[in-house]
Amino acid sequence: MSSPYRLLSCGLLLVLACGDNGSQTTAKPDTDSTTTSTPPVTTTTTGEPTTTGTTETPTSTEAATSTTEGSTTGEPAQCAIYTNELECGQNDCKWTQIVSYTHGTQGCLGGIRDFCIPKQTSGGLTSMWRDDDGDIEVLQFTHTPTDLGPEWNVCGCDGPLACLCTAQTLDCPERMDEFCSTIAGENSCTNAAAGGNFVCGWFTVSQEGPLDGMCDDPPWQAHCLPGTDLGKNTCEEIHLPYVDQGYCQGWTDPVFWRDNDGIIEVTTDCGPTPTGWNLCVADDPTQPEECKCGCKI
């Protein structure tokens, strides 16, 4: 049975004609009409109507409403509200799969989720997030969604860490230390990627305590840190003798240091370089004496 809403729409002064499926079609001008005005020609190929000619004034607000269910006045269909395939397909939408992301001690975890989106979409790769009663949800769309609720936000550098897991490129160097340090395992660390690029390395770090020139010699601990030259192993190429290092009495791997809230930390590696750390070099009066704590005799 045709709905009253559709029958009412069919009466729009022949401006719009109703198709067999109740969708909006292009109206043809009445060749027998004596009026000099030209009815508008409306298309729906992109979801945004275009009009040519002189526009007739509708006699009611109901008659001016599009006959496409889930869409009014050319606006995109509101598809995200449908949670099953049957309802989705009945409302000018399509059922598809998108990627969802979480971030934790195992790094980034992705999953496939069913979702209802408009048949006509535009834009490129877009990541969105929302806080659902403390449960952070991050979804990656291949288009720019326009039908999500107000609780959804576009992923940015101030969003949850899971936003950095997506393939969308986000330049957030200030958050990479937090992104990597959360990860607790070497394999998850070295495979952690943001924007499609590996960003973390597995380093052994010694916390030498306050700046005092003394080696506290605590146990070295493994940490996941942001880095560059990840995956490289150039030990044989860049081993430096003590005459170049200056502070070591023998051959050693490069030593790096940083001041972490008043605690001097050192790490040594001959491949990846930890981001934000300083390379210990010979005869640098500004570097701490703790650089020698990373020497290998």
Side-chain angles (χ1 to χ4, degrees), residues 69-242:
E69 288 192 43
S71 174
T72 59
T73 63
E75 293 295 326
Q78 303 300 302
C79 300
I81 61 175
Y82 302 115
T83 58
N84 66 72
E85 186 173 2
L86 180 61
E87 285 184 330
C88 177
Q90 290 176 341
N91 289 278
D92 198 35
C93 307
K94 64 180 179 180
W95 196 245
T96 189
Q97 291 182 324
I98 59 175
V99 183
S100 63
Y101 287 98
T102 58
H103 178 274
T105 58
Q106 299 303 311
C108 294
L109 296 177
I112 302 298
R113 173 177 169 175
D114 293 324
F115 210 84
C116 186
I117 66 172
K119 290 181 178 179
Q120 299 294 331
T121 60
S122 61
L125 186 68
T126 306
S127 301
M128 307 289 293
W129 73 276
R130 70 171 178 174
D131 184 341
D132 185 15
D133 292 331
D135 183 18
I136 299 298
E137 186 174 20
V138 174
L139 303 181
Q140 177 180 288
F141 296 87
T142 57
H143 65 282
T144 302
T146 58
D147 61 334
L148 300 181
E151 73 276 14
W152 287 92
N153 308 275
V154 177
C155 274
C157 291
D158 57 347
L161 291 176
C163 278
L164 304 180
C165 294
T166 70
Q168 180 182 357
T169 301
L170 295 175
D171 186 18
C172 311
E174 71 280 2
R175 299 210 65 190
M176 296 316 300
D177 192 68
E178 179 188 7
F179 177 79
C180 297
S181 63
T182 305
I183 304 173
E186 180 176 2
N187 187 60
S188 298
C189 175
T190 56
N191 285 286
N197 298 308
F198 295 121
V199 292
C200 303
W202 194 248
F203 297 88
T204 53
V205 177
S206 177
Q207 293 185 328
E208 298 299 332
L211 181 64
D212 56 10
M214 303 294 292
C215 293
D216 290 345
D217 197 25
W220 291 67
Q221 297 180 341
H223 289 278
C224 187
L225 301 171
T228 57
D229 295 329
L230 300 170
K232 292 186 177 181
N233 186 351
T234 54
C235 293
E236 296 300 325
E237 299 175 13
I238 62 174
H239 269 196
L240 302 175
Y242 73 94

Side-chain angles (χ1 to χ4, degrees), residues 25-101:
T25 61
T26 303
K28 296 182 179 179
D30 185 355
T31 55
D32 296 331
S33 175
T34 58
T35 180
T36 59
S37 63
T38 303
V41 179
T42 304
T43 62
T44 57
T45 56
T46 62
E48 293 292 334
T50 57
T51 304
T52 59
T54 303
T55 303
E56 299 282 358
T57 303
T59 56
S60 67
T61 57
E62 291 81 8
T65 303
S66 168
T67 59
T68 302
E69 288 192 43
S71 174
T72 59
T73 63
E75 293 295 326
Q78 303 300 302
C79 300
I81 61 175
Y82 302 115
T83 58
N84 66 72
E85 186 173 2
L86 180 61
E87 285 184 330
C88 177
Q90 290 176 341
N91 289 278
D92 198 35
C93 307
K94 64 180 179 180
W95 196 245
T96 189
Q97 291 182 324
I98 59 175
V99 183
S100 63
Y101 287 98

